[in-house]
Amino acid sequence: MFDKRVIFLPVDERFCTRDYFLLLARAANIDVVTPPKVYLGAKKTPPDLRRLSKWLKETVLPGDYLVISVDMLVHGGLIPSRISLDTLDTLIERLGLLEELKKSDVKIYATTTITRTPFYNSSEEEPDYWQYFGLDMYDLSRLLARSFRGEMVHRSMIEKIGKIPSHFVTDYLVRRIRNRKLVSSVIELVDKGVIDFLNLVLDDNSKESISLAESEIHRAMVDSLKIGSRVSIHAGADEATLSLLARVLSESVGEIPTFEVHYASPEHKDFIPPYEGSPLYQGIQNHIEAAGGKVVDSAGEILLLANNPEVGLDSAQQLSAPTDLSAYDRFFREIEAADSIIKGIADVKYTNGADNYLVEELLKRSELNWLETNYSAWNTAGNTLGTVCAHSIVQLLGSKGLLKVDQSRIKELQAIFFLEHWAFQSNIRKRLLVEAEKRGSKLWTVIPVESWAEGFVRSELTPYIPPVRDALEMEFEIERLFFPWHRSFELGLSILQKDEPRGD
């Protein structure tokens, strides 16, 4: 039985990066200690890192397990890691805190990110000049990636770079070099035994991205140091600490959970999902192994069922009803025939939300036991896969008596996933965007209409609650609903189960 404390430093203050972890840990009855939310900054505004460092020094005790985001530790969050002006020397100095904490005889499970290069003009999460030169910067990054691999570049691409003011190009290159050197320093800490396991994640990348090219450089370093068993390099970001939590629990109780992987469309398992640079089957294996499990051909304790894509579409682009049900029929036959202890359903058919038809059918299946089944479908394939793997491992360890799992909390987390990933992301968000624009809100932000938007979403969720209640056999109501970054892209919510006292 796991009886250690987990010290948790999330990548930022969002609901999906902080509260998902806390909810899953609470369901597993894990004693988690995490900084107050106000210590974590707010989107582009970094926290007081001296205060955060002081908190860690005063909080960590011998024997603790640390699940740490290096991006929060040294930059102050995921967005600050993309826009901060701190020098590499400053970042390395902050990173040194891990060596100091390691002296307290703790286990350190860390994650850090290879900086993304988005392919659109928006400064929502990037430096200001991305609003005007984002697409051009992406072309520049592809050119750099080709040069890394010794490939030829086209004259047209070189000419396009000339449109970007040179000082912005310099800024971009400085940031990328800084990130690459920082990641190398983090890998060195794995080699020195300071970090026990590292999740090195590629945030929003593609087959031609510089992120993928840089990951190959880091992988070569890992291979040369012979530390591959202690470093996982794969697509993802927001789910990375969930994978680490699962690995902490598996390793601490001496278990290596086995996963048997099945696909709704096995003929498309080598499709490369949007925002990723590797085939889906490879991503699934990476996430399973990062979470402490392994893939087996048959008789897996966990059946991971991937509702996988044939083409890359956003959830908003799905048809009102599928034209071909053969893949779904196969999917449900796999569920019914499975002998696995746990069934994890990774709905990665679309990005940024759920497959409506699949969820509606799942919620009708009275034979599904949601204490032994879980479902997720959020932004990228990596986000969803990491979540399903972690959730499945917690359920498995609970079924073996190695964790004292709170069944009502497991259902609570699943209810939140259904309401956020399916009801909100795939359905309500589209209507919210339309109605918010009528009231003067632009693009993703809800700042001018936030109070109205909260009420609108709460009302729109009403018809989605009964089927979730019935499927989970749990009475609940929505207690709190909010927009973590004051935009419509993501939702935070808490639910109150019947007879449960209200939160503060």
Side-chain angles (χ1 to χ4, degrees):
M1 193 73 67
F2 186 81
D3 60 357
K4 301 289 186 178
R5 294 198 316 167
V6 173
I7 311 300
F8 173 48
L9 186 65
V11 70
D12 53 41
E13 82 287 2
R14 279 176 297 160
F15 187 77
C16 62
T17 52
R18 180 177 182 270
D19 291 72
Y20 281 6
F21 184 101
L22 297 177
L23 287 165
L24 184 59
R26 182 173 68 168
N29 275 292
I30 304 303
D31 181 10
V32 175
V33 184
T34 193
K37 194 172 179 179
V38 294
Y39 280 31
L40 301 177
K43 196 181 178 181
K44 286 190 171 184
T45 304
D48 181 342
L49 290 176
R50 289 173 297 182
R51 179 170 68 172
L52 208 52
S53 173
K54 183 173 182 288
W55 180 88
L56 282 167
K57 291 176 184 177
E58 293 176 347
T59 302
V60 171
L61 297 174
D64 285 342
Y65 281 77
L66 278 57
V67 175
I68 297 281
S69 164
V70 171
D71 296 311
M72 173 58 75
L73 182 71
V74 305
H75 291 289
L78 185 61
I79 307 304
S81 76
R82 302 172 187 162
I83 66 175
S84 82
L85 298 175
D86 293 322
T87 65
L88 179 63
D89 287 344
T90 297
L91 303 182
I92 297 298
E93 181 180 351
R94 293 170 183 162
L95 184 64
L97 178 60
L98 292 182
E99 294 189 80
E100 184 176 343
L101 295 174
K102 188 67 175 181
K103 296 175 183 176
S104 298
D105 189 27
V106 297
K107 296 276 191 180
I108 299 179
Y109 292 68
T111 179
T112 195
T113 308
I114 297 177
T115 304
R116 73 177 191 172
T117 302
F119 49 89
Y120 48 74
N121 287 348
S122 171
S123 59
E124 168 77 11
E125 299 181 10
E126 313 299 326
D128 289 345
Y129 55 80
W130 221 266
Q131 181 71 40
Y132 309 98
F133 299 105
L135 281 168
D136 294 330
M137 284 292 186
Y138 177 70
D139 283 339
L140 168 62
S141 75
R142 291 172 62 208
L143 177 63
L144 291 170
R146 291 183 182 186
S147 67
F148 281 5
R149 298 186 178 110
E151 299 176 12
M152 295 292 292
V153 297
H154 297 294
R155 182 183 180 87
S156 60
M157 292 190 69
I158 297 173
E159 291 173 348
K160 196 168 187 178
I161 295 171
K163 300 177 182 179
I164 311 172
S166 60
H167 53 287
F168 293 148
V169 173
T170 299
D171 179 81
Y172 174 72
L173 294 177
V174 166
R175 293 175 193 279
R176 293 222 69 89
I177 293 169
R178 181 187 65 176
N179 176 259
R180 194 159 72 243
K181 291 182 177 179
L182 176 65
V183 170
S184 294
S185 296
V186 175
I187 291 172
E188 288 173 359
L189 290 183
V190 179
D191 184 48
K192 291 169 66 175
V194 174
I195 294 175
D196 294 274
F197 187 83
L198 173 65
N199 246 355
L200 177 54
V201 289
L202 286 72
D203 187 12
D204 288 2
N205 67 106
S206 67
K207 188 176 181 180
E208 297 182 330
S209 69
I210 190 171
S211 300
L212 193 63
E214 288 174 338
S215 76
E216 293 165 2
I217 295 172
H218 296 309
R219 190 177 300 280
M221 179 179 180
V222 168
D223 290 344
S224 69
L225 294 172
K226 296 180 174 56
I227 54 173
S229 63
R230 292 187 283 138
V231 179
S232 178
I233 304 176
H234 59 266
D238 295 344
E239 81 301 327
T241 54
L242 291 176
S243 301
L244 293 179
L245 175 62
R247 190 176 190 96
V248 163
L249 298 175
S250 297
E251 292 188 345
S252 67
V253 298
E255 288 282 314
I256 302 178
T258 57
F259 285 75
E260 184 179 340
V261 182
H262 290 193
Y263 300 86
S265 300
E267 67 274 21
H268 297 291
K269 68 179 183 178
D270 57 350
F271 176 78
I272 298 176
Y275 308 105
E276 302 199 357
S278 302
L280 177 64
Y281 74 86
Q282 184 61 61
I284 288 176
Q285 180 168 330
N286 289 340
H287 280 280
I288 289 172
E289 292 175 354
K294 70 176 181 179
V295 178
V296 295
D297 293 332
S298 61
E301 298 168 299
I302 297 168
L303 174 64
L304 192 150
L305 290 141
N307 182 35
N308 56 309
E310 302 173 16
V311 294
L313 295 176
D314 189 270
S315 66
Q317 298 173 291
Q318 64 183 295
L319 299 174
S320 56
T323 56
D324 182 2
L325 297 180
S326 58
Y328 296 99
D329 292 339
R330 183 189 304 116
F331 194 87
F332 286 110
R333 286 198 302 270
E334 298 278 10
I335 292 177
E336 292 168 2
D339 292 325
S340 303
I341 301 171
I342 304 298
K343 303 177 183 71
I345 302 170
D347 186 359
V348 295
K349 191 175 184 68
Y350 304 106
T351 55
N352 301 318
D355 179 337
N356 281 321
Y357 181 82
L358 176 66
V359 175
E360 289 163 8
E361 288 298 309
L362 282 172
L363 295 178
K364 295 174 185 175
R365 302 273 166 161
S366 59
E367 70 272 15
L368 287 180
N369 179 353
W370 288 99
L371 297 175
E372 300 172 351
T373 309
N374 68 82
Y375 170 91
S376 181
W378 51 306
N379 301 348
T380 66
N383 295 153
T384 292
L385 291 169
T387 304
V388 168
C389 290
H391 199 160
S392 298
I393 287 174
V394 166
Q395 288 176 309
L396 177 68
L397 297 181
S399 73
K400 291 185 169 186
L402 299 172
L403 287 177
K404 187 180 179 181
V405 172
D406 186 326
Q407 296 183 351
S408 67
R409 297 303 182 192
I410 279 286
K411 288 186 175 183
E412 176 185 328
L413 178 61
Q414 186 59 74
I416 288 171
F417 286 168
F418 277 131
L419 294 178
E420 186 184 356
H421 302 171
W422 167 55
F424 177 72
Q425 291 194 26
S426 290
N427 296 283
I428 297 170
R429 182 165 57 192
K430 293 181 289 187
R431 301 194 287 272
L432 172 63
L433 287 168
V434 172
E435 294 302 319
E437 186 176 5
K438 292 178 182 177
R439 290 161 173 78
S441 186
K442 296 181 180 179
L443 204 60
W444 289 104
T445 185
V446 295
I447 290 175
V449 294
E450 194 153 359
S451 179
W452 165 84
E454 290 173 359
F456 176 83
V457 173
R458 183 181 286 271
S459 176
E460 291 287 302
L461 279 170
T462 301
Y464 296 92
I465 293 175
V468 175
R469 281 177 178 161
D470 292 345
L472 299 180
E473 299 179 316
M474 177 182 70
E475 287 296 323
F476 67 89
E477 62 184 56
I478 295 174
E479 182 177 29
R480 182 173 177 240
L481 182 153
F482 61 99
F483 299 97
W485 276 353
H486 308 288
R487 64 184 187 179
S488 57
F489 187 69
E490 59 260 297
L491 189 69
L493 54 87
S494 59
I495 65 174
L496 184 69
Q497 299 188 49
K498 187 177 180 180
D499 301 326
E500 179 184 2
R502 290 187 178 273
D504 297 332

